[in-house]
Amino acid sequence: MEKRVFGVTGVEVPVIGQGTWQMENDDRGGAIRALQVGLDLGMTHLDTAELYGRGRVEESIVAEVIAGRREEVFLVSKVMPSHASYEGTLRACERSLQRLKTDRLDCYLLHWPGSHPLEETIRAFEELVRDGKVRSWGLSNFGVDGLEEAVRIAGPGRIACNQVLYHLEERSIEHSVLPWCERANIAVVGYSPFGNGDFPRPESPRGRVLTSIAKAHGASPYQVALQFLIRRPSLFAIPKASHEEHARDNAAAASLKLSAEELARIAATFPMGPDTGELPVI
Ligand code: NAP
């Protein structure tokens, strides 16, 4: 699995990782197996959050997946904005560590901008780094204004990543968030790369373009989408798969090579749309 430097952390992280949102609704054994197979195939960036299943995903799925293989994993969790005061962030991190049965996170994110002052959240993040409880911290669902505020507070070179909605039908980050993050050396982690399962149907005109490119490579349309979404060195993707065959398909997407013409065809088929200045979220 190809790895890339994860922004300012200097750590090499696989281009394709694994999401865990809504896994509490899936067959637990199947989800655990899919994540383990994903790890075996190099998708060692695991994304979770205290929010997911109200802690159940961390506690009863991710903890089991990483047991005995913590060293392999780049483990990411998130604090909910309602908990993101200084004290609240420290406590939320402790709870996540307990549920995950580990002593550290590789990256800890603010799930989306909330009403607690960002100074407090960042002060807590920096303390967690000093205490060795998190190796790095980042943001999620932050637009350029919020990112600028965060850099004003934290100083340059502190924010590891911004995790944002990014899939073929939702390319808004390309207008300003992606270029801004690239200039600041902040990794951009695209979430919901398959639109949370709302993927172009094979019989639709757009779906047919993906299928024809996929066929030329003996690949799947999902793999073509993932390659497009990681086509720049700042980009990472975290698809969620509770089925082993999906995890295998996603891992193999990292080695698919698309030509410049094919990437341009995909870009033209799924145009960016106008810049509304809004950052879409799911
Ligand atoms: P997604 O990855 O866009 O789509 C998941 C759906 O696609 C599932 O139904 C899955 O099926 C299916 N799938 C996965 N791989 C496939 C393949 N190769 N072929 C066919 N179908 C495939 O969904 P998501 O969960 O919304 O996003 C991914 C992750 O991003 C989340 O799990 C979460 O970790 C993160 N996220 C973060 C935020 C945030 O605010 N920071 C928001 C949303 C999501 P099965 O599961 O049945 O295998």
Side-chain angles (χ1 to χ4, degrees), residues 21 47 140-141 163 192 194 196 240 242-243 246 249-250:
W21 185 33
D47 181 75
S140 179
N141 297 302
Q163 192 183 114
S192 301
F194 305 139
N196 192 235
K240 172 259 180 188
S242 285
H243 287 89
H246 290 161
D249 197 58
N250 297 341

Side-chain angles (χ1 to χ4, degrees), residues 93-170:
C93 183
E94 262 335 306
R95 289 194 299 267
S96 283
L97 291 174
Q98 272 173 23
R99 284 191 292 261
L100 290 161
K101 298 189 183 63
T102 185
D103 58 355
R104 72 205 182 269
L105 298 171
D106 293 285
C107 198
Y108 196 34
L109 312 185
L110 174 58
H111 210 142
W112 64 88
S115 56
H116 286 292
L118 195 52
E119 284 85 354
E120 289 201 23
T121 318
I122 291 178
R123 188 153 62 88
F125 281 165
E126 291 290 3
E127 183 163 324
L128 290 166
V129 171
R130 278 194 300 277
D131 291 348
K133 293 185 175 166
V134 314
R135 295 261 160 93
S136 65
W137 61 268
L139 304 166
S140 179
N141 297 302
F142 268 61
V144 168
D145 289 352
L147 289 164
E148 283 175 345
E149 187 193 352
V151 171
R152 263 198 309 276
I153 295 166
R158 300 303 306 158
I159 305 167
C161 68
N162 188 21
Q163 192 183 114
V164 285
L165 180 63
Y166 189 42
H167 57 82
L168 291 178
E169 314 260 16
E170 183 42 84

Side-chain angles (χ1 to χ4, degrees), residues 57-102:
V57 170
E58 286 182 329
E59 188 161 34
S60 77
I61 296 179
V62 180
E64 181 153 340
V65 171
I66 65 174
R69 50 196 307 191
R70 177 67 187 88
E71 296 301 324
E72 292 169 51
V73 177
F74 187 83
L75 182 60
V76 179
S77 191
K78 315 184 193 81
V79 58
M80 275 163 58
S82 57
H83 293 160
S85 63
Y86 169 71
E87 290 288 347
T89 302
L90 298 179
R91 281 197 300 266
C93 183
E94 262 335 306
R95 289 194 299 267
S96 283
L97 291 174
Q98 272 173 23
R99 284 191 292 261
L100 290 161
K101 298 189 183 63
T102 185

Side-chain angles (χ1 to χ4, degrees), residues 9 19 60 97 115 132 146 181 183 203 207 215:
T9 67
S60 77
L97 291 174
S115 56
C181 288
R183 284 195 297 276
E203 64 278 14
K215 271 198 178 141

Side-chain angles (χ1 to χ4, degrees), residues 6 23 69 82 96 108 162 185 189 226 248 253 273:
F6 200 69
M23 274 191 171
R69 50 196 307 191
S82 57
S96 283
Y108 196 34
N162 188 21
N185 193 19
V189 179
L226 284 177
R248 290 186 185 282

